[in-house]
């Protein structure tokens, strides 16, 4: 899947062109998924405003994350804060976030995983479709997508991989994408962030001398089919499938799906 390279924004993808049921596809330039916008450069700003005409930005991060790396403003775009997780779910307080060096904070977190980064993420994903707060926020996200008007709709979390990945998967399903297409979009994050992963490994191993800890960091900052599958399994077992979850929990029934397809597909 082709990546869109920005100078300061990581993991940028236009869902346009992805194939959908019935020979349709996602319209180009309307649905953008990205990482945080705090490092946006002037050239990035020109791309988002001039090429994509972004008119709405939805931030899925917690208040602490937003405080650490505030989104830059984008002319002509309305900013919406719609955190997917409650603050306490991220395991760090506002005071800790302010006081700790970012690398030290990362190392504390990695050591707390005790070599079980993959298993931790496999438990993290189901929470997004089980926790009542998370479900409420997913519903709010879909209300924003359905209510969006002209221009491009951009949404992001910190790295654009987990919360952004799950919301993108649910949205693509609602638009008529196959499981194969959804998975390909999800896994494209690893290619987009590959250089960052290598740099992260180098920095952590140099700082700690611990190659295994560096590898844990790479796992935490990557995506894996098993992570998304953990959420999909919950949707099947607890709700009877993605369609029933969309309709019964998020309010996306036939009428809303038709609206989404008319607006975002061709």
């Amino acid at each position: 899947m082709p990546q869109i390279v920005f100078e300061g924004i990581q993991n940028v993808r236009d869902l346009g062109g992805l194939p959908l049921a019935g020979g349709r596809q996602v319209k180009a330039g309307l649905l953008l998924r990205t990482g945080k916008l705090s490092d946006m450069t002037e050239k990035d700003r020109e791309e988002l405003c001039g090429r994509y005409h972004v008119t709405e930005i939805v931030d899925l991060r917690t208040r602490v994350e937003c405080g650490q790396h505030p989104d830059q403003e984008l002319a002509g775009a309305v900013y919406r804060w719609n955190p997917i997780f409650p603050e306490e779910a991220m395991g760090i307080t506002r005071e800790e976030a302010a006081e700790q060096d970012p690398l030290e904070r990362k190392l504390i977190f990695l050591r707390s995983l005790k070599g079980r980064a993959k298993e931790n993420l496999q438990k993290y994903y189901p929470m997004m479709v089980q926790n009542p707060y998370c479900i409420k926020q997913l519903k709010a996200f879909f209300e924003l997508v359905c209510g969006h008007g002209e221009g491009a709709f951009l949404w992001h979390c910190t790295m654009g991989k987990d919360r952004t990945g799950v919301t993108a998967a649910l949205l693509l399903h609602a638009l008529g994408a196959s499981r194969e297409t959804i998975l390909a979009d999800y896994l494209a994050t690893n290619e987009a962030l590959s250089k960052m992963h290598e740099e992260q490994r180098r920095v952590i191993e140099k700082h700690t001398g611990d190659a295994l800890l560096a590898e844990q960091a790479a796992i935490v900052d990557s995506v894996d089919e098993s992570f998304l599958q953990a959420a999909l399994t919950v949707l099947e077992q607890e709700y009877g499938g993605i369609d029933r979850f969309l309709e019964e929990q998020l309010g996306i029934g036939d009428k809303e799906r038709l609206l989404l397809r008319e607006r975002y597909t061709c």
Side-chain angles (χ1 to χ4, degrees):
M1 182 176 297
Q3 301 290 336
I4 305 173
V5 179
F6 278 69
E7 291 182 338
I9 309 172
Q10 294 182 322
N11 202 10
V12 182
R13 288 202 288 291
D14 177 358
L15 299 189
L18 291 180
L20 305 171
R24 299 182 70 81
Q25 62 182 30
V26 181
K27 284 183 183 177
L30 289 184
L31 295 172
L32 299 180
R33 52 172 293 183
T34 78
K36 65 185 187 299
L37 305 183
S38 56
D39 298 321
M40 177 169 57
T41 67
E42 190 57 37
K43 184 177 179 181
D44 295 342
R45 190 186 307 277
E46 290 172 1
E47 280 285 288
L48 294 179
C49 291
R51 179 179 177 185
Y52 291 101
H53 307 291
V54 172
T55 56
E56 190 165 4
I57 296 169
V58 179
D59 191 339
L60 306 180
R61 300 175 297 165
T62 64
R63 191 180 300 277
V64 165
E65 291 173 285
C66 294
Q68 291 170 343
H69 302 283
D71 272 0
Q72 295 186 41
E73 293 184 4
L74 189 69
V78 176
Y79 175 85
R80 315 279 190 189
W81 181 54
N82 189 64
I84 294 298
F85 283 111
E87 210 73 31
E88 60 272 15
M90 304 306 287
I92 188 166
T93 66
R94 189 189 308 258
E95 292 74 21
E96 290 171 329
E99 292 174 2
Q100 291 174 349
D101 173 79
L103 178 58
E104 289 303 321
R105 184 168 64 243
K106 180 106 179 179
L107 292 175
I108 289 169
F109 171 68
L110 291 171
R111 289 175 178 132
S112 75
L113 298 177
K114 301 184 184 303
R116 298 178 61 83
K118 192 168 186 177
E119 292 85 350
N120 183 73
L121 280 162
Q122 288 167 344
K123 294 178 181 178
Y124 175 80
Y125 272 63
M127 182 181 173
M128 284 188 254
V129 293
Q130 288 176 311
N131 180 283
Y133 178 90
C134 298
I135 293 171
K136 177 174 72 73
Q137 296 303 103
L138 287 176
K139 182 175 182 179
F141 169 79
F142 269 91
E143 288 172 352
L144 291 172
V145 178
C146 287
H148 179 68
E150 297 297 318
F153 181 93
L154 182 153
W155 77 104
H156 73 89
C157 50
T158 294
M159 297 176 65
K161 69 183 191 73
D162 300 318
R163 289 160 288 187
T164 303
V166 168
T167 47
L170 293 172
L171 178 55
L172 283 170
H173 181 89
L175 292 175
S178 67
R179 184 68 58 90
E180 180 182 25
T181 295
I182 290 169
L183 184 60
D185 172 68
Y186 173 73
L187 293 176
T189 281
N190 289 337
E191 178 185 349
L193 299 179
S194 60
K195 291 182 180 179
M196 189 209 74
H197 295 158
E198 291 305 314
E199 177 64 12
Q200 182 96 282
R201 281 193 185 96
R202 186 190 65 78
V203 169
I204 290 177
E205 189 165 357
K206 180 180 179 180
H207 188 80
T208 66
D210 189 337
L212 292 178
L213 197 66
E215 184 59 31
Q216 289 287 290
I219 292 172
V220 167
D221 291 338
S222 302
V223 294
D224 186 275
E225 182 175 352
S226 67
F227 303 161
L228 184 60
Q229 186 56 51
L232 296 177
T233 297
V234 167
L235 293 176
E236 292 293 337
Q237 294 179 349
E238 298 189 13
Y239 301 102
I242 303 178
D243 291 327
R244 288 188 62 180
F245 177 77
L246 285 170
E247 182 168 10
E248 296 173 6
Q249 301 298 319
L250 307 188
I252 304 299
D254 291 341
K255 177 182 175 182
E256 291 76 16
R257 289 173 77 154
L258 179 61
L259 181 153
L260 288 170
R261 291 173 182 179
E262 287 179 344
R263 183 165 298 170
Y264 298 113
T265 76
C266 58

